[in-house]
Amino acid sequence: MGRSSLEWGRGLFWVLWLAMSAVAQAADEVALITAEPAELKLANRSIFVFHATLLGETPEVRATRARGVISEALDASEHPEVRIDPIRDSYLVLIGDRRAFIISPKDLTAVDGSVRQAAEEVAQRLHLVVEESKEARNVRFLLTAGGLTAVATLIYLALLRLIYRGKAWALAWLPKQVRKRTGDLKVGFAQLLDVSNIYPLLRRLLGLVYWALVFLLTYEWLTFVLQRFPYTRPWGESLNQYLVDLARYLLDAVVGAFPGLTIALLIFFIARGLSAFCKSMLERLSRPGTISWLNRETLLPTTRLTSLIIWLFALAMAYPYLPGANTNAFKGLSVLIGLMISLGASSVVGQAAAGLILTYTRTLRPGEYVRIGEYEGTVTELGTFTTSIRTGLGEVLTLPNSMITGAVTKNYSRVVEGPGYVVDTSVTIGYDTPWRQVEAMLLEAARRTPGVSPEPHPRVFQTKLSDFYPEYRLVAQAVPSEPVSRAELLSLLHANIQDVFNEYGVQIMSPHYLGDPVQEKWVPKDNWYAAPARDSSAKHESSAKDGEPG
C-alpha cells in the first residue's frame, strides 16, 4: 500500500513538473542571474550548495525547505533511509518517504562533475548526518566519547610535561657539549667559534623546536577531541584534512622543486669552477712581458670583475630553475629589487665605474704622493668606490672616485727615479736682487736640507715675471719613508731658505711696489735664536750631546 502511494505521488509530481516547468522557466532564468547561492548545512555538516532558482524557489528558499524536511524526517524516525531517484536531467534526494530536495544541473559548478555523481555524494553526506544524529541521541556513545576525551587530555598533559622536562634537560646538557666541542675547533691558538655566541643561538633553536612540538601536539589533541562528538566532528575532520593537505602540499613542492634546484646547483658549481679557472689564467697572464695592461696592480680588480660577470651570468641562467621563480610574488619581488637598484644605486655604479677608470688608467697607485684638488697626501688604498690618502699632518682622507676623475691630479711620485716624490716650493724676490744670487741661495738651502736627494740635482725655475717681482720655484727629489716626511721636509726646506736669505741679507717680501722700506726686512744672524728660541736650541744641543756615544 505504501509503495503504490509513493508511485502515485511520483506520477503526480511528474505531471506537475511538466506543467509548471514551462511557466517557471523564464522566471527561473531571470532569477538565476540575481539569486545568491545558499548552503544546506545540518548538524554542523555541509550537505549541498544550491545555485539555481527552481520552480520559482530561490536557493535560500530551497535550502530552508530542505532543512525543515530533513529535520522532520529525523524527528519522525531514528534511522530513515536516504536514496536518490532520477527525474529527467535532475535527481530527487529522498529521506524516508519524503522528498528532501532536487539537484538540478544548474546547481552544479565546473568542478562538481556530473549530476549523478553529485547526487551520490550528497546522499552519502546526508546518510552520515543521519548516523551522527543517531549517535547524538545515544547516551552511551556520548559517555564513551567523554571518557576518550578525558584519557586523551591526560595523555596530552603528560606529553606536554615530558616535552618541557626534555627542554630543561637539553638546556643543561648543551653548554657542556658546546664547550667540549668548540674547544677542539682551533687554528693555531685561535678558537674559531665563541661559546658566548653559539649557546644563545642553540637556545633559540631549541625554543623554536619546543614550541613547534607543543603546537603540533595541541593540534592533534584538539583534532582527536573534536572528532569524538557528532556535532564537532566536521571541525575535527577539517583540521585533520588541513594538516594532511599542508603536508602533501609541502611534499609536492619539495619533490617538484628538486629537478630545477638540481639544475640550478649544477649551474652554480660550473660557475664556481669557471671562476677559479679564470683566476688561475689571469694570474699567469699578469706575469711581466705577457699583457701590458694586466699587471700586479690590475690583477685583483680584473679577477673580481671577471668573477662578477661569471656569477651574474650564472644567476641569470639559473633563475628560471629556482623554486617559485615563475610565481607572481617572485616576479614582483624581482621587479621591486631592480627598481630599488635603478633608483638608489646610480651613484654607487658611477663610483664603481670611476674606480675601474682609475685602476686601468693607472692614474694613482698605493704609496704615491699626490695632490687631488686641494687635498694632498700619500695614497694608502685604491678601492672600488673610494680612495684613501694620508696627509703629512696625520689625517686620513677618503675621497670618492668620481671626484678624483673629475679633478686635476698632481702626482709627485710618478716621474722620480726610484721610490719617492718631488718636493717643490716657490719664493718671490724683487727685481733689485740678481736672479743668479737667488738661484744659488735656493740651491744652497736645498743642499743643507736633510732628506733632499743630491741626485738628480735640484733645479730652480723662474716661472713668472710679475709687475713687481719674479717668481722662483725650487724643484728637488726626496726619498721619504712615511707621508709625514714630506711635511717635515718642506718645513726644514722653508727654514733653510729663510736662514740662507738672512745670511746674505736678502729680504723675502713681495709687496706691490710703492717704494723701498727705510729698514731692510731681513733678520741678522745674531737674532736667529732670540728668546725663547735660544733656550729650546740649547736644550736640543744638550740632548744631542747626551745621546752621543762616549
Side-chain angles (χ1 to χ4, degrees):
M1 184 66 181
R3 187 67 177 176
S4 61
S5 299
L6 178 61
E7 292 178 354
W8 181 85
R10 287 178 56 192
L12 180 61
F13 178 77
W14 176 261
V15 174
L16 292 175
W17 173 275
L18 294 176
M20 296 177 62
S21 60
V23 178
Q25 184 176 2
D28 289 346
E29 292 178 353
V30 175
L32 181 62
I33 301 176
T34 59
E36 293 292 334
E39 182 183 13
L40 174 59
K41 202 169 186 180
L42 294 169
N44 204 27
R45 186 177 294 278
S46 178
I47 305 300
F48 187 66
V49 178
F50 297 99
H51 292 84
T53 299
L54 193 63
L55 298 178
E57 294 182 349
T58 62
E60 183 65 31
V61 174
R62 294 174 62 194
T64 303
R65 182 182 178 281
R67 191 178 299 111
V69 172
I70 296 174
S71 298
E72 292 177 0
L74 291 175
D75 294 336
S77 176
E78 184 177 352
H79 196 274
E81 182 184 2
V82 178
R83 63 184 185 278
I84 59 174
D85 196 7
I87 177 172
R88 293 189 64 184
D89 55 352
S90 303
Y91 275 85
L92 288 174
V93 179
L94 304 172
I95 180 168
D97 294 335
R98 303 188 60 181
R99 174 176 61 89
F101 52 89
I102 301 174
I103 299 179
S104 171
K106 297 179 181 179
D107 289 320
L108 305 182
T109 60
V111 297
D112 289 335
S114 63
V115 181
R116 179 177 180 83
Q117 181 180 357
E120 291 176 351
E121 293 177 356
V122 168
Q124 291 177 1
R125 299 192 197 106
L126 190 55
H127 180 73
L128 188 58
V129 169
V130 172
E131 294 293 333
E132 290 176 345
S133 176
K134 180 181 178 181
E135 293 175 352
R137 300 173 184 178
N138 190 334
V139 178
R140 183 177 180 180
F141 177 84
L142 295 178
L143 291 176
T144 303
L148 292 175
T149 300
V151 173
T153 303
L154 292 176
I155 296 175
Y156 166 71
L157 295 176
L159 290 176
L160 285 182
R161 182 174 179 82
L162 181 62
I163 294 174
Y164 180 79
R165 295 186 65 178
K167 176 187 175 184
W169 175 83
L171 288 176
W173 177 78
L174 272 177
K176 301 177 182 178
Q177 297 299 317
V178 169
R179 293 190 189 95
K180 181 180 179 181
R181 301 302 179 187
T182 55
D184 300 334
L185 298 177
K186 291 183 179 180
V187 176
F189 295 98
Q191 188 169 329
L192 293 179
L193 300 178
D194 190 1
V195 179
S196 60
N197 295 330
I198 296 178
Y199 181 69
L201 178 61
L202 293 178
R203 186 173 183 176
R204 291 188 178 93
L205 291 176
L206 186 61
L208 181 62
V209 172
Y210 169 75
W211 286 111
L213 291 176
V214 169
F215 173 78
L216 184 61
L217 190 61
T218 304
Y219 193 95
E220 290 297 327
W221 169 80
L222 184 61
T223 301
F224 178 81
V225 171
L226 291 177
Q227 288 182 340
R228 297 309 98 199
F229 300 93
Y231 186 80
T232 59
R233 188 173 297 158
W235 296 342
E237 292 174 352
S238 62
L239 287 177
N240 196 26
Q241 186 63 34
Y242 175 77
L243 189 61
V244 172
D245 292 341
L246 180 61
R248 183 184 294 111
Y249 172 78
L250 293 177
L251 183 61
D252 292 343
V254 171
V255 174
F258 185 76
L261 191 61
T262 303
I263 296 177
L265 291 176
L266 182 62
I267 293 174
F268 288 142
F269 277 119
I270 293 175
R272 181 181 178 182
L274 185 60
S275 178
F277 171 76
C278 291
K279 180 180 179 181
S280 176
M281 183 181 65
L282 290 174
E283 289 177 352
R284 291 195 299 270
L285 294 178
S286 64
R287 297 171 183 171
T290 306
I291 299 179
S292 59
W293 59 269
L294 187 61
N295 51 31
R296 180 178 57 85
E297 299 170 359
T298 59
L299 174 61
L300 182 59
T302 304
T303 303
R304 291 178 177 176
L305 188 61
T306 304
S307 179
L308 178 62
I309 294 174
I310 292 174
W311 281 107
L312 287 178
F313 182 75
L315 182 60
M317 294 296 295
Y319 175 83
Y321 300 101
L322 295 177
N326 296 323
T327 61
N328 293 330
F330 204 103
K331 294 178 181 178
L333 182 61
S334 303
V335 173
L336 179 61
I337 294 176
L339 184 62
M340 292 173 61
I341 294 176
S342 300
L343 296 179
S346 57
S347 60
V348 176
V349 175
Q351 299 290 356
L356 292 176
I357 293 174
L358 293 177
T359 300
Y360 287 100
T361 57
R362 304 180 190 176
T363 304
L364 304 176
R365 295 175 184 172
E368 293 182 339
Y369 199 94
V370 298
R371 182 175 181 85
I372 303 170
E374 59 181 1
Y375 306 106
E376 184 175 313
T378 300
V379 179
T380 58
E381 182 181 358
L382 183 60
T384 304
F385 305 102
T386 59
T387 296
S388 298
I389 63 173
R390 186 169 51 191
T391 67
L393 302 178
E395 303 169 334
V396 177
L397 305 179
T398 301
L399 306 178
N401 287 335
S402 59
M403 189 205 77
I404 299 175
T405 55
V408 177
T409 301
K410 293 182 180 180
N411 196 320
Y412 295 99
S413 303
R414 188 62 59 86
V415 297
V416 300
E417 298 179 2
Y421 56 81
V422 173
V423 60
D424 64 326
T425 187
S426 299
V427 294
T428 55
I429 309 298
Y431 284 105
D432 54 347
T433 303
W435 64 267
R436 294 177 180 84
Q437 182 185 16
V438 176
E439 289 187 4
M441 288 188 293
L442 290 174
L443 293 176
E444 175 64 19
R447 186 187 64 80
R448 294 184 184 181
T449 304
V452 174
S453 176
E455 293 293 337
H457 299 292
R459 301 183 61 185
V460 177
F461 300 91
Q462 298 185 39
T463 58
K464 188 182 297 184
L465 297 177
S466 301
D467 293 340
F468 305 105
Y469 47 79
E471 179 177 320
Y472 301 89
R473 180 176 291 274
L474 172 64
V475 180
Q477 179 176 335
V479 185
S481 58
E482 294 291 336
V484 71
S485 299
R486 189 174 193 274
E488 294 178 355
L489 186 59
L490 283 175
S491 179
L492 292 174
L493 181 60
H494 290 158
N496 287 326
I497 289 175
Q498 294 183 67
D499 288 346
V500 172
F501 274 63
N502 286 326
E503 287 179 6
Y504 291 97
V506 178
Q507 48 186 340
I508 305 176
M509 58 180 298
S510 305
H512 285 238
Y513 194 87
L514 297 177
D516 293 331
V518 178
Q519 184 177 358
E520 294 183 346
K521 301 299 181 181
W522 61 280
V523 181
K525 189 173 183 179
D526 295 338
N527 296 334
W528 284 7
Y529 297 100
R534 184 182 308 228
D535 298 336
S536 62
S537 176
K539 293 178 181 179
H540 178 73
E541 292 177 358
S542 176
S543 61
K545 290 180 180 180
D546 294 340
E548 294 178 358

